[in-house]
Every structure is written in C-alpha cells, then in structure tokens.
Amino acid sequence: MKIDLTIDKERRKRAIQRVHDKNIIIPTYAQMKKPSLVPASIQRELSTIGLWDVNPRNLFRITWHNEPVTLGGGFGGVNYIELPTTMTGTPARIVVLVGKWFPTGAHKVGAAFGCLVPRLVTGQFDPSTQKAVWPSTGNYCRGGAYDSALLGCESIAILPEGMSKERFEWLSKIAGETIKTPGSESNVKEIFDKCWELRKSGQDLMIFNQFEEFGNYLWHYEITGHAMEEVLLQIMGPNDEYRGMASATGSAGTIGSGDYLKHLFPSSKIVASEALQCPTLLQNGFGSHRIEGIGDKHVPWIHNVRNSDLIVAIDDNAIVNLARLFNEKAGRIYLTKQGVPEMIVNNLDLLGFSGISNVLSAIKMAKYFELGEHDIVLTILTDSMELYQSRLQEMHLEYGDYTENNAAADFARYLLGESTDHMLEMTYADRKRVHNLKYYTWVEQQGKTYDEIQSQWYEPDYWSDVQKQVPEIDALIEEFNADVGIG
Ligand SMILES: Cc1ncc(COP(=O)(O)O)c(C=O)c1O
C-alpha cells in the first residue's frame, strides 16, 4: 500500500475530538471532484465566507470548480482559459487551468490536503499533540499551514529564503513557525536537511514531505486529472484531439494528472518541464533559477518518470520578461495591438511565474509535434501574479520603465519566437536515466531502499496501486466525519 491507511485507534479518537472542537467536516475526493455533491447547508455557509478566510468550510473549496470571486462564491465549471494563436504563435489550442481561485491562491492547498487527510482520518497524525511540518519551495507550505490553521494544529513551514516576499508575509500570519533554508528555488536538498534536523530534535512532529508523499500524486491524479477531463469534454469538437499536457515538476504532484489523462487518451503525451538554468532532467545538471515553485536538482520520488514522454527546459529570462509584458501597462497595450483579445490581456495576471513557464512548455510541445488547430494541449497555472508583485517592483527598479520597445522585443523573442530547443523526446533509456537519478537523493540520502526504487520501475502495478486508493480513503473520510458528528 503506497499510502499507508493503517488505523491508530487511540490517536484517531483524539483527532476526532480535535476536529469536532474545531467544527470541521472533511470533504471527500468525490466532493472535490464534483462539488454538486457538497450538501446544500455547506454551500449556504460558503455564501458568506471569503475564499482565503481561515474558516473550516473552505476545505470544500479545495476544488477546481470555485466561482472566481473572492467572497461568497459558489461552485461552477472548472476555471480555465484558452489562449489565442495571436499570443501563442501556434495554431494548436493551448488550454490552461487556473489555480488562482483556490484558497491561498494556489492549487498546492490540494496537494497538502492529499498528504494530510489520510494521516488524519486514520489517526496516524494527532493534531492535538503533533506539529505538522510542510517542506516546500513556496506554495505547498502555504497550503499546509492553511490546512493546519483550519485544524488548529501547530505548523512549521519550510521554504528557501530566496522566495518572494509575499509568501513570507502571508506565512507570518498563518504558520506557527517559518523556517528559511539557505539559497533559492532549486535548493531542495537544504530543505531535506532541515527535515532531518527536525526529526532528530525530539519534537513530536509529522513531516508531510510532498516530494515523496503519494497523497500529493493521488490528489492531482484524481482531482486535477478529472478537472482536465471535464474541460476536454466541454471544449472538444468532433475533429479535435487531445495531444497531451505539460507541467513543471516541483514535487511532481501536478504532472500526475497526465497519468490520469493517459488512461483516457493512451496516445497522449506528458511533458515534464524545468528551468534551463537548472537542467536536472535534461542534462543531470544543476544551478539556480527564478521560476519560483519548481525546485529541481533532484527528481521527486513521486514522479512517474516511466510515463513522461518529453523533457523541456525553459529559460528563466523568458519568464521574468514575459511577466513584465503581461502585467506592465505598455506590455498590455502592445499585446492588444497584436490582436490578443482584451478579455485575455486583462486576465494575464492569472499567470504566475511557473504558469508562464508551463504555457511556454505547452507551446514548445505544440511546435515540436507541429500541432494544428484541432490539437489540444493542456497545462496549469499553479498560482497568479498576486504572489509576485514585489518581483515586478524589483524589476522596475532595476531596469526602469517598461516601454513599447521592450514589449515588442519580449513578444517577438519569448512568445512568437519560442523554439523547440532544449527539448528531449525520451527513449526508454532516457527515461531510465532520469529515474536512476532518484537513487542519489532518495536511496543514498533519504532512506528509501534499493527494492523500492526498483519496484517503481519494474513492478507493473506500482502506480496503479496508488491510483486505486481513492475509494478506501473516501470511505475513511466518511466514517471519520460520521464519528465527528457535525453537519
Ligand atoms: C508556483 C508553483 N508552480 C509549480 C509548482 C510545481 O508543482 P508540483 O509540485 O505539483 O510539481 C509549485 C510547487 O510548489 C509551485 O509552488
């Protein structure tokens, strides 16, 4: 069993008491997938609750279906936008799911839920005595701190010191403790070191390590994967074909949604992307980069590399310059002149840094396979520019005003000029080379065994065993809710 569902009766009783005291009801996977299943009484309560409020009913907003408003929103269709050819430079249909409308403004709150809830409802995690530790490159620890605040349990957020100011400001209000590890985005090893230090500290804590927790993979497989399927059902015409999805691999949770879609569309592709300045997947390389949230210098344990088809490395210069193009006034005016519809231009702040990177990865895939107007590529906007306003200000101070000339150069070079360089369509041997990199992080450093890493590659049912755990988890959630006895 990849997600351990062993019950600890004594702790479970204490968890039930805590959840009861905090007036919490836990949503099931079925409800996150299909919020029309959420009881009407809860939907009524949500009509007066803000999207980011620390209110336990917001657990029901861990879904792609939130109405895109900051207060009192109900549930509707999946939040997505289709980017026009005038912007992408490819006739292919590039469709993006929007993460901004999750509580905390990023879909990582779902990954945190996916890791925490199985441990809570089995009694393995006791929120009345234990601290929850959330190692992260930014948004996961925000999601974890948020979920912990709802449970009233103490939390420790761990993230690199070089992340954007907005994240730290928000964490100072929500997390019990925030630990800054040395370095920036790609310094994940330093985060793992801090986890070991905490384990040895003698404190009663539980570490929810997203990079190895199958709850993260499963949440995206089931919830993001299903949301993508829903979008496809909505937008696909009779001659259209779904060709694949692209996702950066921070913890390799999001990319799990590609596995779900591959079951439905076996010939579709999965593109794993990373920063060119830290080309770990592409070249076993290392380095630091500015695409906040996508880590690297290691291959996450939960990345099903055997199922990935292409690797794409994205230049972080493209990201920071496109962030200016999409958000500075001169950039938006220029884009409108180039024929990008105003409705799209006005919503370009929905793309955070990694979202821009994901869009470029999707464009590169479309160009590489010479996709046409009936081909659909999906990707994800994990968060929005709300978390990077300080970065825009920093660039403004460093480079001065953003002008029409800057806009023309960035549009031509980084959007329409996006090329198919720094890509690899993986053979069996390429995939195995990437999978083998896991050895150095996970077996040598982080306590996984030789047998486990071999099973990931050779055991035919390894990944499907995880995928099949949803009904059991939902049954445990329902039993737990019944024992809590609220609602
Ligand atoms: C902004 C941002 N983008 C992308 C990712 C990567 O997503 P995943 O960890 O699911 O691979 C993260 C992860 O924390 C993130 O915070």
Side-chain angles (χ1 to χ4, degrees):
M1 210 177 350
K2 305 299 178 311
I3 300 174
D4 182 2
L5 298 176
T6 315
I7 304 280
D8 182 322
K9 280 191 185 158
E10 280 315 303
R11 280 174 176 238
R12 185 175 174 277
K13 274 188 208 153
R14 291 203 294 271
I16 285 170
Q17 188 61 49
R18 166 59 61 107
V19 165
H20 182 274
D21 294 348
K22 293 281 165 188
N23 184 26
I24 291 170
I25 308 168
I26 300 173
T28 58
Y29 268 82
Q31 289 168 327
M32 289 184 283
K33 239 158 80 170
K34 205 171 166 200
S36 56
L37 298 175
V38 173
S41 56
I42 292 178
Q43 298 199 38
R44 267 196 306 278
E45 280 186 76
L46 286 171
S47 69
T48 56
I49 296 171
L51 183 64
W52 288 40
D53 289 359
V54 182
N55 182 309
R57 292 299 169 268
N58 264 342
L59 287 171
F60 286 88
R61 287 201 170 116
I62 302 184
T63 172
W64 288 98
H65 293 77
N66 291 317
E67 194 183 328
V69 291
T70 51
L71 178 71
F75 301 120
V78 172
N79 289 307
Y80 75 92
I81 43 179
E82 182 162 351
L83 301 176
T85 297
T86 43
M87 177 178 160
T88 61
T90 161
R93 300 180 65 184
I94 309 287
V95 179
V96 296
L97 266 63
V98 176
K100 174 177 171 161
W101 303 109
F102 278 87
T104 76
H107 76 24
K108 297 292 300 188
V109 71
F113 176 99
C115 297
L116 173 70
V117 164
R119 306 267 192 96
L120 182 72
V121 297
T122 52
Q124 291 170 29
F125 174 65
D126 174 2
S128 66
T129 57
Q130 292 189 294
K131 290 182 187 174
V133 181
W134 304 97
S136 158
T137 53
N139 284 327
Y140 174 76
C141 69
R142 292 175 61 250
Y146 184 80
D147 291 350
S148 305
L150 299 184
L151 284 167
C153 76
E154 282 196 54
S155 62
I156 302 179
I158 307 178
L159 75 169
E161 62 191 355
M163 304 301 293
S164 73
K165 189 165 98 183
E166 287 84 344
R167 288 180 165 88
F168 289 106
E169 282 170 1
W170 187 85
L171 279 168
S172 70
K173 291 180 224 132
I174 303 288
E177 188 183 345
T178 302
I179 298 177
K180 296 181 184 182
T181 48
S184 65
E185 186 48 48
S186 61
N187 291 70
V188 179
K189 165 76 165 55
E190 287 75 358
I191 299 171
F192 292 159
D193 290 346
K194 181 53 73 178
C195 288
W196 283 109
E197 209 181 298
L198 286 171
R199 275 185 196 105
K200 288 176 192 154
S201 70
Q203 297 182 69
D204 191 4
L205 39 83
M206 185 165 274
I207 296 175
F208 296 94
N209 186 347
Q210 58 165 341
F211 302 92
E212 62 175 310
E213 291 267 347
F214 283 100
N216 176 12
Y217 169 86
L218 185 62
W219 190 85
H220 283 292
Y221 177 88
E222 189 73 9
I223 305 297
T224 307
H226 192 267
M228 287 173 152
E229 179 189 6
E230 238 183 282
V231 171
L232 288 175
L233 287 173
Q234 203 176 322
I235 65 166
M236 261 167 104
N239 299 319
D240 290 341
E241 289 213 42
Y242 165 66
R243 294 297 186 183
M245 63 85 72
S247 175
T249 62
S251 65
T254 310
I255 201 167
S257 57
D259 286 3
Y260 178 84
L261 290 173
K262 234 186 213 193
H263 283 305
L264 304 177
F265 302 92
S267 65
S268 65
K269 306 285 185 196
I270 297 176
V271 177
S273 72
E274 63 182 351
L276 180 60
Q277 283 74 9
C278 183
T280 306
L281 307 178
L282 193 64
Q283 295 173 345
N284 301 358
F286 45 86
S288 59
H289 66 87
R290 294 170 290 174
I291 312 179
E292 296 188 37
I294 70 168
D296 226 354
K297 280 200 242 174
H298 85 295
V299 180
W301 182 246
I302 58 167
H303 185 172
N304 183 6
V305 181
R306 219 180 152 132
N307 220 16
S308 293
D309 301 290
L310 278 92
I311 297 169
V312 173
I314 302 291
D315 182 355
D316 72 359
N317 289 301
I319 307 310
V320 294
N321 286 300
L322 288 177
R324 296 195 87 194
L325 175 70
F326 292 166
N327 293 282
E328 294 275 2
K329 197 168 165 210
R332 289 190 167 192
I333 292 172
Y334 184 81
L335 287 167
T336 310
K337 277 193 204 159
Q338 301 314 303
V340 181
E342 223 163 292
M343 195 277 285
I344 298 290
V345 172
N346 292 338
N347 277 302
L348 287 175
D349 57 338
L350 291 176
L351 285 74
F353 280 12
S354 72
I356 301 174
S357 179
N358 278 347
V359 167
L360 294 183
S361 306
I363 293 173
K364 281 169 100 71
M365 174 190 162
K367 289 193 171 176
Y368 182 88
F369 288 114
E370 304 180 283
L371 301 183
E373 60 186 321
H374 291 298
D375 298 314
I376 300 173
V377 181
L378 293 175
T379 191
I380 297 279
L381 312 178
T382 305
D383 61 12
S384 73
M385 277 312 280
E386 206 157 324
L387 292 169
Y388 306 95
Q389 292 303 315
S390 61
R391 296 295 188 215
L392 286 178
Q393 285 155 14
E394 284 160 18
M395 288 189 274
H396 199 90
L397 286 177
E398 197 171 342
Y399 307 116
D401 286 343
Y402 192 76
T403 64
E404 185 170 0
N405 279 348
N406 295 136
D410 291 336
F411 182 67
R413 178 171 182 192
Y414 294 123
L415 266 183
L416 299 193
E418 190 56 68
S419 70
T420 53
D421 52 6
H422 313 302
M423 297 182 75
L424 174 71
E425 187 176 1
M426 287 195 283
T427 61
Y428 180 87
D430 292 322
R431 291 182 175 95
K432 188 128 196 244
R433 190 255 308 156
V434 175
H435 171 77
N436 288 345
L437 281 179
K438 287 186 183 178
Y439 180 85
Y440 305 100
T441 302
W442 296 105
V443 180
E444 278 197 348
Q445 297 166 17
Q446 305 298 330
K448 302 288 183 204
T449 65
Y450 174 84
D451 286 344
E452 285 174 280
I453 193 169
Q454 295 291 79
S455 308
Q456 275 203 356
W457 189 260
Y458 291 109
E459 203 186 284
D461 297 331
Y462 187 93
W463 297 91
S464 60
D465 281 352
V466 185
Q467 294 155 10
K468 284 184 205 143
Q469 288 193 279
V470 169
E472 202 180 338
I473 294 173
D474 267 1
L476 286 167
I477 293 173
E478 277 167 5
E479 264 172 56
F480 188 87
N481 282 337
D483 289 346
V484 169
I486 294 172

